[in-house]
Amino acid sequence: MLGTAVVALLQAQVAALPEHRIADIMKPLASPAEAEKNIALFSFAITGVIFVVVAGLIFFTIWKFRRKHDEDEFREPAQVYGSNQIEVAWTIIPVLIVFILIGVTARVIAGVENASPPKDVTKITIIGHQWWWEVKYPDYDIVTANEIHVPSLPDGKAATYLKLESADVIHSFWLPQLSGKTDLIPNRDNFMWINPKEPGVYFGNCAEYCGTQHANMLLRVIAQTPEDFKKWASEQQQNAASAAAMTPPRAEFESLSCVNCHAIKGTVAVGKFGPDLTHLMSRQTLGAGVIDNTPANLKIWVNNPQDPKPGCFMPSLKLTDSELAQVVDYLGSLK
Ligand code: CUA
């Protein structure tokens, strides 16, 4: 255990990071997002040229063949019965353009999805759930939720490889400034990678309709220097704060059915259905971004999750006031 002072310091570091809230694909801060921005500009340039040519020809024709005053009203215009050259040209040129766009896009998508991870990169497995993100670091033995801590270097050398899975329906993982969307599909593993070039908190969300609370399936990537990331990781590897001592609030929590759905490392709580709570209070939000993680909000959430997040799968356990106070007290200690 690194102690609460260190935990507080780590949280202050995260709070001080710049926030990249704007969902702006034109301001990429990672290699995959840069490549995708370039494709977007390339496609826009090609289609822009087509637009100018077609619109120009239309206006030219309207102007050139407008009705003139001295013209004989009843004279038939020249009748043209097709031209092999023109028809061949307007078939072949669009086909070539489409194949160029397909080729360039396929190359970038393959570069993001099929890249094999170098040896010492950070590997993360992300599992989409209705409506939250499970985040596992297999090499570190860490399980967390909704907030993905990754290392960041200005040259983009600190890459994180993501394996994307789903526990229920199709979700889509999207961090506009770091990379494009990749679906999380049941019974299939998808892959992508990110390398944030600036430390900061990057906002993203689920980009595939997945049920009632799809809009509140938010995620954030917290990119830190490799040293800060290592500190965070070693703190997360610890057992829960009070795992060694059985306190009345902890006993209360463990007597309730919370433990069937949630895991807390070092305790009898080993449920897998809901988010791991071992270091709950190290996270910024509750309910996958629906409310800030404050003691007051934690109480609102535990009392009835259906208030802040209607339709979510965590029920109100209809706790008595004293049970609620004990549970919130215990959860609040999980730094
Ligand atoms: Cu998950 Cu939409």
Side-chain angles (χ1 to χ4, degrees), residues 230-277:
K230 284 262 151 55
K231 278 185 215 153
W232 171 85
S234 65
E235 180 59 30
Q236 294 282 314
Q237 285 169 325
Q238 311 297 318
N239 278 346
S242 53
M246 181 58 77
T247 58
R250 178 179 162 191
E252 182 70 73
F253 178 86
E254 292 184 0
S255 75
L256 295 164
S257 52
C258 312
V259 296
N260 295 333
C261 289
H262 294 284
I264 298 178
K265 200 150 66 174
T267 77
V268 297
V270 289
K272 291 280 171 244
F273 190 70
D276 187 294
L277 301 177

Side-chain angles (χ1 to χ4, degrees), residues 131 171 206 208-210 214 217:
W131 291 276
H171 305 272
C206 182
E208 176 86 34
Y209 182 73
C210 54
H214 155 72
M217 190 167 162

